[in-house]
């Protein structure tokens, strides 16, 4: 019997219109909040303006930092932390997709300490400002876990990190905010949900708790991933994808990710215009083929949750049918792509393979099939 320690302290508020509660929730923590967000989408959709009003009405003074880019850099995070310190913000609110949410957690750590945020990769953080996440996409899972991913623009390194003090205090998951998500973002972030659940379910660190979350994720993805892309105004599908995202976020908080994420981080670290989910899409099929023999039973269980019929299929055929199913989903999402389509240069593959180990080594180790740098380079080449 294996020993387990399961801990997740995030208070989750799920439901349409719940952004309206943000003021009341924020007021519990501080009278001054730094909103960490991106440059465009939250302004265009009116969500940022709405949040500012809600906070002011509740007596919380909002300060806006809207300089977060899609693959947030350590410079952006340190700048935001400097503003939080200068303005004496007692709360960080992450508003948007994975990038602002990840950044909010990193800002909360850097604003409490006296060293640049990059130093926290080696120096564990003991304390952070409280964080509230308000998520606008369905993919990251960042809204409910402790993880943050940041890019060093000088080296292209894109490591993930997460300490216990980085758990958001509360997460607001309001599917109405997600109605404004453009199709490409819906597809890419939605596919990220699948990879989170797939890697948590097949990884060496899997356990009964993460697996329970993952099985519900597969079940939700089966009917809602492509539907949310095809029918952007379908609030039911949006809501189910938001649930799937949060559940997968909880699963990776327990059991981590694997080789697909290990390879993708250096891809989008070196090519900041590549969306995380698109990078994953390019890498998933070859990685699934690589892992199939190591966790065939898991593949079969996932196939079952995706509604694939077993009748007449051998174990090998049934497990392989999952890969075909995922290929079909990628095609339906217009994400049937290779690394070449994302602008990745072939000459960079060796650097990317190396960085999978130096920045995401824990994820390679968690992968069901053993892989060294040579195998990872082969996978990158096959995914080109
Ligand atoms: Fe991810």
């Amino acid at each position: 019997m294996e020993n387990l320690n399961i801990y997740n302290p995030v208070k989750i508020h799920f439901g349409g219109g719940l952004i309206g509660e943000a003021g009341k929730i924020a007021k519990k923590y501080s009278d001054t909040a730094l909103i960490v967000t991106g440059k465009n989408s939250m302004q265009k959709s009116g969500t940022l303006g709405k949040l500012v009003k809600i906070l002011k009405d509740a007596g919380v003074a909002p300060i806006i930092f809207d300089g977060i880019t899609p693959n947030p850099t350590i410079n952006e995070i340190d700048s935001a932390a400097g503003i939080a310190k200068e303005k004496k913000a007692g709360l960080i609110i992450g508003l948007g997709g994975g990038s602002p949410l990840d950044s909010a957690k990193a800002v909360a750590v850097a604003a409490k300490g006296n060293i640049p945020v990059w130093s926290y990769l080696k120096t564990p953080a003991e304390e952070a400002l409280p964080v509230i996440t308000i998520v606008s996409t369905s993919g990251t899972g960042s809204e409910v876990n402790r993880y943050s991913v940041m890019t060093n623009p000088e080296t292209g390194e894109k490591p993930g990190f997460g300490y216990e003090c980085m758990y958001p205090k509360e997460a607001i998951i309001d599917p109405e905010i997600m109605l404004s998500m453009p199709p490409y973002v819906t597809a890419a972030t939605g596919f990220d949900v699948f990879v989170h659940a797939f890697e948590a379910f097949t990884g060496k660190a899997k356990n009964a708790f993460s697996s329970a979350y993952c099985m519900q994720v597969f079940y939700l993805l089966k009917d809602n991933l492509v539907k949310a892309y095809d029918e952007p105004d379908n609030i039911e599908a949006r809501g189910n994808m938001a649930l799937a995202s949060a559940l997968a976020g909880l699963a990776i908080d327990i059991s981590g990710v694997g080789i697909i994420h290990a390879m993708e981080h250096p891809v989008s670290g070196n090519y900041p215009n590549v969306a995380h989910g698109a990078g994953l899409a390019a890498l998933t099929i070859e990685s699934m083929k690589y892992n199939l023999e190591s966790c065939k039973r898991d593949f079969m269980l996932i196939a079952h949750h995706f509604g694939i019929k077993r009748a007449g299929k051998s174990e090998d055929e049934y497990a392989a049918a999952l890969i075909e199913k995922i290929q079909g989903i990628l095609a339906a999402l217009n994400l049937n792509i290779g690394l070449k389509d994302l602008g990745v240069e072939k000459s960079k593959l060796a650097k990317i393979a190396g960085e999978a180990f130096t920045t995401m080594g824990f994820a390679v180790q968690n992968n069901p099939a053993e892989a060294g740098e040579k195998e990872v380079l082969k996978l990158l080449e096959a995914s080109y």
Side-chain angles (χ1 to χ4, degrees):
M1 190 168 53
E2 103 189 272
N3 293 347
L4 294 173
N5 294 296
I6 307 295
Y7 174 75
N8 187 297
V10 185
K11 200 178 273 185
I12 298 170
H13 307 269
F14 176 87
L18 280 187
I19 192 174
E21 304 288 307
K24 204 169 72 187
I25 294 168
K27 186 74 177 169
K28 289 195 277 182
Y29 300 97
S30 182
D31 293 334
T32 309
L34 180 75
I35 302 172
V36 174
T37 192
K39 292 180 203 301
N40 294 313
S41 58
M42 292 298 93
Q43 290 83 340
K44 268 191 212 154
S45 68
T47 311
L48 177 61
K50 198 171 172 182
L51 176 63
V52 164
K53 186 178 181 318
I54 289 164
L55 291 172
K56 282 183 179 167
D57 288 350
V60 177
I63 305 153
I64 299 170
F65 181 89
D66 60 359
I68 299 298
T69 55
N71 285 297
T73 67
I74 48 178
N75 307 336
E76 294 160 17
I77 293 163
D78 281 327
S79 298
I83 293 169
K85 277 184 181 175
E86 186 193 318
K87 304 277 186 189
K88 297 192 168 43
L91 170 69
I92 308 293
I93 300 179
L95 172 69
S99 302
L101 267 48
D102 280 12
S103 300
K105 291 179 248 182
V107 169
V109 166
K112 200 73 178 168
N114 291 308
I115 53 175
V117 72
W118 192 251
S119 310
Y120 287 104
L121 295 177
K122 292 218 171 92
T123 309
E126 303 290 343
E127 49 177 3
L129 289 177
V131 172
I132 294 173
T133 53
I134 305 176
V135 63
S136 70
T137 63
S138 294
T140 168
S142 183
E143 60 272 22
V144 294
N145 64 40
R146 75 197 116 136
Y147 294 127
S148 178
V149 177
M150 56 188 179
T151 297
N152 182 334
E154 278 172 28
T155 62
E157 290 168 287
K158 187 185 170 186
F161 74 118
Y163 300 113
E164 201 167 302
C165 64
M166 289 166 67
Y167 279 106
K169 294 284 181 209
E170 310 204 21
I172 299 175
I173 305 172
D174 178 349
E176 286 177 15
I177 298 175
M178 292 155 195
L179 292 172
S180 64
M181 231 194 302
Y184 184 70
V185 179
T186 302
T189 58
F191 194 71
D192 190 17
V193 177
F194 168 71
V195 183
H196 289 161
F198 174 75
E199 297 207 296
F201 193 73
T202 56
K204 286 181 187 149
K206 68 178 286 183
N207 63 42
F209 289 85
S210 57
S211 296
Y213 287 136
C214 291
M215 284 192 273
Q216 182 66 18
V217 173
F218 300 132
Y219 181 70
L220 287 167
L221 290 177
K222 168 181 160 275
D223 292 327
N224 297 286
L225 175 53
V226 175
K227 194 184 271 183
Y229 177 69
D230 287 341
E231 303 169 24
D233 295 329
N234 187 326
I235 190 73
E236 197 70 25
R238 292 288 197 191
N240 284 330
M241 283 306 295
L243 279 176
S245 167
L247 291 165
L250 292 168
I252 57 170
D253 195 48
I254 296 169
S255 296
V257 287
I259 205 167
I260 310 174
H261 273 80
M263 292 190 289
E264 198 297 310
H265 282 206
V267 166
S268 51
N270 284 282
Y271 296 91
N273 291 328
V274 172
H276 173 57
L280 295 172
L283 296 162
T284 293
I285 297 301
E286 289 304 321
S287 305
M288 287 180 81
K289 289 181 194 164
Y290 183 75
N291 278 321
L292 191 146
E293 278 306 317
S294 312
C295 49
K296 202 183 290 172
R297 204 180 142 67
D298 293 336
F299 271 60
M300 291 167 67
L301 275 168
I302 301 171
H304 173 74
H305 280 85
F306 268 96
I308 303 169
K309 296 270 178 287
R310 172 75 198 264
K313 291 185 184 71
S314 68
E315 287 197 352
D316 284 347
E317 285 166 345
Y318 194 46
L322 176 67
I323 301 180
E324 269 169 54
K325 176 82 183 174
I326 300 306
Q327 261 168 330
I329 288 175
L330 283 169
L333 296 173
N334 280 314
L335 281 176
N336 227 338
I337 49 176
L339 293 173
K340 193 180 175 185
D341 302 309
L342 296 171
V344 176
E345 298 141 287
K346 216 163 191 177
S347 58
K348 277 270 176 74
L349 296 185
K351 179 178 189 276
I352 290 167
E355 285 173 11
F357 288 82
T358 53
T359 62
M360 293 290 287
F362 55 92
V364 184
Q365 277 161 25
N366 189 38
N367 196 63
E370 301 295 329
E373 217 168 305
K374 210 172 79 186
E375 287 76 20
V376 167
L377 182 57
K378 266 193 185 164
L379 277 177
L380 288 165
E381 284 165 352
S383 306
Y384 197 72

